[in-house]
Structure formats: structure tokens, C-alpha cells
């Protein structure tokens, strides 16, 4: 079955440093979504990427979808303490009728002030 | 509050007992999803509904698990003969149509003793 892998599992940064998490799928994806989950909270949608090579920005966050639609990345510039949480990518397999998203295990972002 | 609502927030049960959880999605959303999340892991897809029809079930879903959405509004997830391995956060999400963002509820934390 489809597998979605994320690295790193944990990332410690000093406040103000940049952060990047990478997502790789074992199969080609029709689209990929990113979610953020704060400690003790539930996943909250950040963005969806659909097109090969797509790049989207939200303030300090930059999202990329790979040309082969099998990988993606999230980059945060100049992290702030409000960025703390776990970032998940989630994808749907291309060509399948399935609609259930497959989530990665997430990258836990820890920020030291 | 017009978000996704889940009840109860916490459930403690003894091994072998049956439990039932309820999810009330955002009212205009026709799709409803159930996910399970354990500590340090990403949400794992269980099943989803479009209106009252259950369209997809994970191959990992044991036959002890059953979900319903009888009138296309709220949904229930029942686990029969609970096992300690069923201990997890059970998340419900809804969406307006396919391949769009999911809105998650706060989840039901199940502890099987």
C-alpha cells in the first residue's frame, strides 16, 4: 500500500532560525496537503498542492510539490515560538479511486527561545 | 460553534467492553472521515462516508470496528470487544466534497485497561 515518509522526525531550532521538513511518497500523488498539530490539539489544514512543481507561500511558510509528484517540502523562515507543533504531510494516490488521505508520521518542531 | 464536534472527549473502558463514539460534522459538509492517532504518529485512515454511504474502509480496519452515518449527518464509530491495542485518539473530520481540506474535531481519547 501507499506509504508517506517524513524527515526529520524531530527538529530543534533556535528562535529565528529556518526550518524544513521533507515528505516522500512511495507512489505518485494526485495532490498533497499539509497540516499542523499543536501539542494537545488536532490537525489543522495549512495548504493543498496539486500541480507538478507547484510552489505556494503563506507569509513565512513556503510549500513545494516535486516535479514527479512524489515528494514535497515545507520551509519556515525565521521561526517563531508560535510555530511549535507537529507538521504532517498527507497525500492521495494518483489514479486510484480512494479518497482517504495517507498521513506521514510528522516532523515535531521544537523551538528554543 | 460550527466546527466538528466529537463526544465524548475521553473514554476509559475495560478490555472486552464495547464503546461508541459520536461525531457531528460541519453541517454543510457531505463527507465524513474517521482517523485514529497514537502518540507520536500521524493520523491513520479508518473509513469515510459521502452522505450516508460508506465508500471506503481501510484494509487495516478490524471487523470489530463499525461505523454508521444513518441520515448523512452525524456518525458513530463502535468498537466491539475492545483490546488494549485500541487505545488511541479517534479523530473525526469532515469536508465539503472530495479532495479538499479536512476539518478535524478535537477527538475522543480512548484508554483500554
Amino acid at each position: 500500500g501507499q506509504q508517506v515518509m517524513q524527515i526529520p522526525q524531530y527538529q530543534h531550532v533556535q528562535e529565528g532560525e529556518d526550518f524544513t521538513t521533507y515528505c516522500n511518497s512511495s507512489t505518485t500523488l494526485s495532490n498533497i496537503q499539509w497540516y499542523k498539530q499543536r501539542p494537545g490539539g488536532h490537525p489543522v489544514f495549512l495548504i493543498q498542492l496539486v500541480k507538478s512543481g507547484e510552489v505556494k507561500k503563506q507569509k513565512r511558510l513556503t510549500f513545494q510539490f516535486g516535479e514527479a509528484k512524489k515528494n514535497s517540502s515545507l520551509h519556515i523562515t525565521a521561526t517563531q515560538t508560535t510555530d511549535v507543533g507537529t507538521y504532517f504531510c498527507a497525500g492521495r494516490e494518483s489514479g486510484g479511486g480512494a479518497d482517504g488521505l495517507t498521513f506521514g508520521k510528522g516532523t515535531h518542531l521544537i523551538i528554543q527561545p | 460553534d460550527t466546527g466538528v464536534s466529537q463526544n465524548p472527549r475521553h473514554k476509559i473502558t475495560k478490555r472486552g467492553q464495547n464503546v461508541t463514539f459520536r461525531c457531528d460534522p460541519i453541517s454543510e459538509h457531505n463527507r465524513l472521515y474517521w482517523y485514529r492517532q497514537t502518540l507520536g504518529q500521524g493520523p491513520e485512515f479508518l473509513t469515510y462516508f459521502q452522505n450516508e454511504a460508506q465508500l471506503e474502509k481501510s484494509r487495516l480496519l478490524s471487523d470489530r470496528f463499525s461505523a454508521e452515518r444513518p441520515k448523512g449527518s452525524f456518525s458513530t464509530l463502535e468498537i466491539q470487544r475492545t483490546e488494549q491495542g485500541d487505545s488511541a485518539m479517534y479523530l473525526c473530520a469532515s469536508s465539503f466534497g472530495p479532495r479538499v481540506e479536512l476539518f478535524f474535531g478535537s477527538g475522543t481519547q480512548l484508554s483500554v485497561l
Side-chain angles (χ1 to χ4, degrees), chain B residues 30 48-55 67-73:
Chain B
N30 58 357
Y48 89 90
F49 294 82
Q50 177 167 302
N51 300 315
E52 66 275 9
Q54 188 173 17
L55 296 187
E68 294 183 341
R69 194 182 183 197
K71 297 183 179 179
S73 56

Side-chain angles (χ1 to χ4, degrees), chain A residues 47-104:
Chain A
I47 208 160
Q48 175 168 279
L49 305 171
V50 179
K51 299 177 183 177
S52 169
E54 188 171 13
V55 178
K56 286 189 176 180
K57 292 189 176 184
Q58 288 180 349
K59 297 183 180 178
R60 295 178 296 105
L61 278 62
T62 302
F63 304 84
Q64 293 188 337
F65 200 9
E67 294 290 340
K69 300 183 74 173
K70 294 183 71 174
N71 59 73
S72 181
S73 66
L74 158 60
H75 179 81
I76 302 178
T77 303
T79 54
Q80 300 174 358
T81 55
T82 53
D83 296 326
V84 165
T86 303
Y87 292 85
F88 294 100
C89 63
R92 289 186 175 90
E93 192 169 357
S94 179
D99 192 51
L101 278 172
T102 300
F103 280 76

Side-chain angles (χ1 to χ4, degrees), chain B residues 18-62:
Chain B
N18 299 342
V19 294
T20 300
F21 311 139
R22 177 178 170 127
C23 172
D24 288 88
I26 294 172
S27 59
E28 61 268 26
H29 286 185
N30 58 357
R31 293 214 166 191
L32 186 149
Y33 303 78
W34 285 100
Y35 282 82
R36 175 173 61 191
Q37 185 176 29
T38 53
L39 197 62
Q41 303 294 313
E44 175 190 23
F45 171 74
L46 296 178
T47 188
Y48 89 90
F49 294 82
Q50 177 167 302
N51 300 315
E52 66 275 9
Q54 188 173 17
L55 296 187
E56 187 182 346
K57 291 170 63 174
S58 168
R59 288 188 293 269
L60 302 175
L61 198 61
S62 160

